[in-house]
Amino acid sequence: SAKAAGRGRVGIFDEALRHSLDRRALLERELEHALADEHFELHYQPVVEMSTSRPIGFEALIRWHHPVHGLLSPDEFIPVAEKSMLINRIGRWTLHEATAQLARWDAEGAHPHPLTMAVNVSGRHLASRDLVFDVRAALDASGIDPSRLVVEITETVLVDDPIALDNMHTLRAMGVCMAIDDFGTGYTSIGQLPKLPVDMLKIDRSFTGSDESAHHQLVRLIVEAAHAFGLTVVAEGIEGQAQAFALHGLNVDTGQGFFFARPQPAGRARELATLDTLPPGAAAEIVA
Ligand code: C2E
Ligand code: MG
Ligand code: MG
Ligand code: MG
């Protein structure tokens, strides 16, 4: 009967919901342990100057060494962490670890130029009172100059949120570089750029990865607007040499992508930073 079927559906829904809540609660407990036992690790992807193909800094990207599931990518656990205050504790850990790593590299004296370090900050952390304190503490503990830290926020963050906007202004006044990540996929329009407290745009790989001339025109427009407002432009997701060449021609300032280097553990990342060009030996062909 209809009544039985209706009850059945409710039953199945309850069951599914109960499972997902259980799963979320389990994952939250596991994340707590991972924080306590330091099961997180940062991998570092070089950021390359397009005109020279020289590595000028890194983006820190979190991974989780899960005792059962192995190495987990952020997409598998950051969304869950964002549903609780755990994301702030993960963000605090990431800020400390990334700046400490940069200070260790400085101490090893391997690189002639001061490298930058970009850290992804979740919208929830950005919109909380913790963020400025956490950034200050990480900078104090590491001794890293604020101008070498890039704080990446995604466009989906409500920049209408008064606390988020306040935090962005405060960090920028401290000298931290503020970047909009995945630009082009969210709500921010070029028209909003002059009033946002940001220094850098990272163009999402859905635009930079395409051969379509319409996408090239879009990138050209974004770069022109960004430069007019004094922002630097990073192209994400550069996977091939032709793409690197095209983006350089579109006046993009810096780039990241598998073509230059994949994100990797600290030891190997540091070796890459000591090279003059990425990938080794390719500069002559990339630089126009
Ligand atoms: P994102 O900040 O936009 O980082 C770029 C992502 O693209 C990274 O994935 C990187 O490995 C990947 N990537 C880099 N170059 C290429 C390329 O040439 N081709 C392709 N197909 N992909 C490329 P990953 O490490 O899995 O990170 C995914 C997202 O997770 C990040 O996107 C960021 O939003 C978030 N995330 C990573 N680390 C953290 C963190 O410490 N805290 C927070 N809150 N979020 C993080
Ligand atoms: Mg990022
Ligand atoms: Mg991105
Ligand atoms: Mg992203």
Side-chain angles (χ1 to χ4, degrees):
S1 73
K3 203 174 168 191
R7 244 200 338 265
R9 271 203 300 279
V10 169
I12 289 161
F13 176 69
D14 278 353
E15 184 72 353
L17 184 67
R18 200 177 59 75
H19 272 296
S20 79
L21 286 178
D22 281 354
R23 211 182 125 53
R24 195 174 121 189
L26 173 67
L27 210 65
E28 283 179 11
R29 275 201 308 282
E30 289 182 328
L31 282 166
E32 290 267 5
H33 288 297
L35 270 166
D37 301 343
E38 304 245 3
H39 286 169
F40 294 114
E41 181 181 321
L42 294 181
H43 283 195
Y44 299 90
Q45 184 175 41
V47 179
V48 163
E49 183 178 63
M50 296 302 287
S51 60
T52 58
S53 204
R54 182 171 62 88
I56 56 146
F58 290 97
E59 176 175 2
L61 296 156
I62 198 167
R63 275 87 182 94
W64 177 10
H65 286 279
H66 190 281
V68 177
H69 306 298
L71 196 68
L72 297 183
S73 77
D75 292 332
E76 292 172 277
F77 61 91
I78 290 291
V80 174
E82 277 173 342
K83 292 205 170 71
S84 72
M85 288 316 278
L86 282 166
I87 192 63
N88 286 26
R89 290 168 58 198
I90 292 173
R92 186 176 311 147
W93 180 85
T94 304
L95 283 161
H96 274 269
E97 181 59 27
T99 50
Q101 184 58 257
L102 195 56
R104 285 193 288 273
W105 281 329
D106 282 357
E108 290 164 11
H111 202 269
H113 320 276
L115 297 163
T116 59
M117 180 64 76
V119 172
N120 293 282
V121 164
S122 132
R124 182 145 189 186
H125 198 187
L126 180 70
S128 82
R129 295 285 178 200
D130 294 343
L131 183 68
V132 171
F133 176 87
D134 291 340
V135 169
R136 264 208 194 97
L139 290 172
D140 286 348
S142 62
I144 290 297
D145 190 90
S147 65
R148 296 173 64 196
L149 178 66
V150 179
V151 165
E152 296 190 3
I153 58 166
T154 54
E155 277 192 85
T156 46
V157 167
L158 337 153
V159 274
D160 333 312
D161 183 290
I163 297 177
L165 205 54
D166 210 44
N167 284 339
M168 288 166 72
H169 278 290
T170 304
L171 292 177
R172 200 153 175 253
M174 284 164 58
V176 172
C177 174
M178 299 300 298
I180 300 185
D181 204 349
D182 305 339
F183 186 79
T185 60
Y187 306 118
T188 316
S189 67
I190 288 175
Q192 286 171 287
L193 293 180
K195 30 176 230 271
L196 287 179
V198 293
D199 308 280
M200 188 181 274
L201 286 191
K202 300 190 71 171
I203 306 181
D204 192 71
R205 70 163 179 272
S206 51
F207 300 105
T208 60
S210 157
D211 287 334
E212 286 172 47
S213 95
H215 280 159
H216 281 189
Q217 296 305 331
L218 269 176
V219 171
R220 191 190 299 280
L221 281 174
I222 293 170
V223 173
E224 272 175 20
H227 283 170
F229 299 132
L231 310 183
T232 55
V233 181
V234 189
E236 303 192 272
I238 303 178
E239 294 185 349
Q241 182 155 305
Q243 207 183 330
F245 189 84
L247 289 162
H248 175 48
L250 293 169
N251 280 332
V252 165
D253 301 294
T254 59
Q256 287 174 249
F258 296 166
F259 172 63
F260 301 115
R262 287 181 180 258
Q264 41 209 312
R268 276 192 290 143
R270 176 176 169 274
E271 287 170 27
L272 289 177
T274 64
L275 300 173
D276 288 335
T277 70
L278 286 179
E285 289 153 276
I286 300 163
V287 177

